[in-house]
Amino acid sequence: TMDKLEAIPGFQYQLTEDKMWETLKTVGCYITTQTGDIAPADKTLYATRDITSTVCYAPLSCSSIMSKKLAEGLDSLVLDVKCGIGSTLASYEESEWLANTMREIGTAMGVKTVAVITEMDTPIGFTIGNSLEMIESFECVKGNGPEDLELIVAVQAGILLVNAGLAPDLETAKNMIRSKFRDGSALETFLNILKNQGVSDETAEKLREGKYEEVMGKSREVEMIRSDDDGYIESVDSLTLANCAVLFGSGRQVPSDTIDHTVGLRLLKTKGDKVKVGEPLIEVHHNGRVTKDMLSTIGGCFKLGSECRPINRILKIIGNDGK
């Protein structure tokens, strides 16, 4: 998340405690990462997990996640637990175990805790890569985002509204969230968060106007991969797509790597869509580090069949009292 936000010039996520409190009072929200005062032992423990190949071990993931959440003094918590090849938990059973365990821990500590298991076999939305995902996020808070991304946000934010007593049920809460996208208030709050964390007024205004490339730049090259068959897209391999994007600079292979915020992938078709031979499937945004083998691998991530099988993004809500 921080890598994506750092695509916006000026954004700062390391806040002092005084700045955190000031931001909560004036803006109502801030975005930060682990600090020396919030679950400080977790950073050391995570580094140990990294060198012992236990990052994906669910019990340790559970303690790492919940230690930070509970240290924040929350009243209500919604956890997005991914499931599928694009997450660290490929099987539904593992994801359900993690979701239930984290919910039990939160509840035992007096926090209203709900876990939402979401499908991650297919990329969420249509983009992979830092600036491309930020553009999609801005469009989402403007009410123009992909349907599945908007659904995830509306459901999870809606649960918080129900648990806070601000909405009578989840359906009402989801509509309240979507109305904030449509009336511009969600965008206004997001821009205020960014400005309070180092982004200049001029940059924020350009983002408001949709001048995204002027702010975050763009890749030198955009290559199109097209379908070589007719049919319905039955699956899109999110993990392989993400790994390919890392190879041409959107992520780090080693901690010392520099991220290229401008590169990534933009899906033009996704699971459930009907395609014809020669129809564009995906754009590859790069700066010269893409090989023919990579392009072939990316194209191979789209599996076609004869049946339409739309994405089922929300798999289960665990612990939700506001149905």
Side-chain angles (χ1 to χ4, degrees):
T1 301
M2 294 307 167
D3 289 336
K4 302 181 201 315
L5 285 163
E6 285 183 328
I8 303 172
F11 180 79
Q12 300 289 328
Y13 60 82
Q14 292 285 7
L15 304 178
T16 64
E17 186 174 344
D18 287 343
K19 183 66 173 177
M20 290 179 186
W21 283 111
E22 176 193 333
T23 305
L24 283 178
K25 292 174 182 177
T26 57
V27 181
C29 178
Y30 61 84
I31 305 170
T32 188
T33 185
Q34 187 180 41
T35 72
D37 297 320
I38 299 177
D42 183 61
K43 185 174 183 179
T44 301
L45 291 171
Y46 190 90
T48 304
R49 290 166 60 201
D50 193 27
I51 62 174
T52 56
S53 299
T54 53
V55 169
C56 296
Y57 184 55
L60 294 180
S61 296
C62 182
S63 62
S64 176
I65 293 166
M66 293 306 292
S67 64
K68 293 188 285 288
K69 305 306 182 205
L70 295 171
E72 296 166 14
L74 305 174
D75 296 314
S76 183
L77 172 64
V78 175
L79 297 158
D80 183 356
V81 182
K82 300 298 185 190
C83 174
I85 59 172
S87 75
T88 58
L89 300 172
S91 77
Y92 177 82
E93 291 73 21
E94 287 180 294
S95 296
E96 188 176 38
W97 181 91
L98 181 62
N100 276 309
T101 303
M102 290 194 295
R103 177 183 172 270
E104 289 169 5
I105 292 171
T107 301
M109 296 298 291
V111 177
K112 293 180 181 177
T113 306
V114 177
V116 182
I117 302 178
T118 53
E119 186 260 16
M120 195 61 179
D121 287 323
T122 306
I124 296 173
F126 293 102
T127 60
I128 297 171
N130 299 289
S131 64
L132 293 175
E133 290 186 47
M134 284 309 308
I135 292 170
E136 192 167 64
S137 298
F138 276 106
E139 287 302 305
C140 183
V141 296
K142 290 179 179 180
N144 304 319
E147 185 178 338
D148 63 334
L149 176 59
E150 183 176 295
L151 174 65
I152 290 171
V153 175
V155 167
Q156 296 181 0
I159 292 169
L160 284 175
L161 291 182
V162 173
N163 285 348
L166 299 175
D169 54 69
L170 183 54
E171 198 58 37
T172 301
K174 284 158 58 179
N175 291 332
M176 291 170 64
I177 297 299
R178 288 188 169 109
S179 71
K180 297 301 180 182
F181 292 157
R182 309 290 185 261
D183 68 16
S185 56
L187 174 64
E188 197 63 37
T189 298
F190 191 21
L191 292 175
N192 284 337
I193 292 169
L194 296 178
K195 288 191 289 186
N196 198 64
Q197 294 189 226
V199 175
S200 69
D201 290 345
E202 180 183 1
T203 296
E205 192 57 35
K206 288 180 180 178
L207 292 170
R208 183 199 308 278
E209 296 170 359
K211 298 177 180 178
Y212 303 123
E213 292 182 352
E214 190 174 330
V215 171
M216 294 181 279
K218 64 177 182 178
S219 65
R220 294 196 308 270
E221 305 287 339
V222 179
E223 297 194 46
M224 194 87 69
I225 296 176
R226 300 176 182 273
S227 176
D228 54 14
D229 204 349
D230 296 336
Y232 291 95
I233 298 176
E234 290 191 344
S235 67
V236 182
D237 186 342
S238 59
L239 178 60
T240 301
L241 288 179
N243 287 338
C244 286
V246 168
L247 289 175
F248 54 86
S250 74
R252 296 182 182 89
Q253 298 181 71
V254 295
S256 59
D257 282 350
T258 300
I259 288 178
D260 185 345
H261 291 106
T262 65
V263 303
L265 303 165
R266 187 192 303 277
L267 281 73
L268 304 175
K269 298 290 183 179
T270 191
K271 182 178 176 181
D273 289 343
K274 187 176 184 179
V275 296
K276 296 180 179 180
V277 172
E279 197 168 357
L281 294 174
I282 189 169
E283 293 175 350
V284 182
H285 295 240
H286 68 93
N287 289 318
R289 290 174 59 182
V290 172
T291 65
K292 289 184 178 179
D293 285 344
M294 283 187 197
L295 294 175
S296 178
T297 299
I298 292 169
C301 290
F302 293 80
K303 302 300 182 185
L304 271 60
S306 58
E307 296 182 18
C308 177
R309 299 176 181 174
I311 299 171
N312 179 23
R313 194 61 81 183
I314 306 293
L315 300 179
K316 188 173 184 179
I317 300 176
I318 298 173
N320 181 37
D321 296 325
K323 298 180 181 178

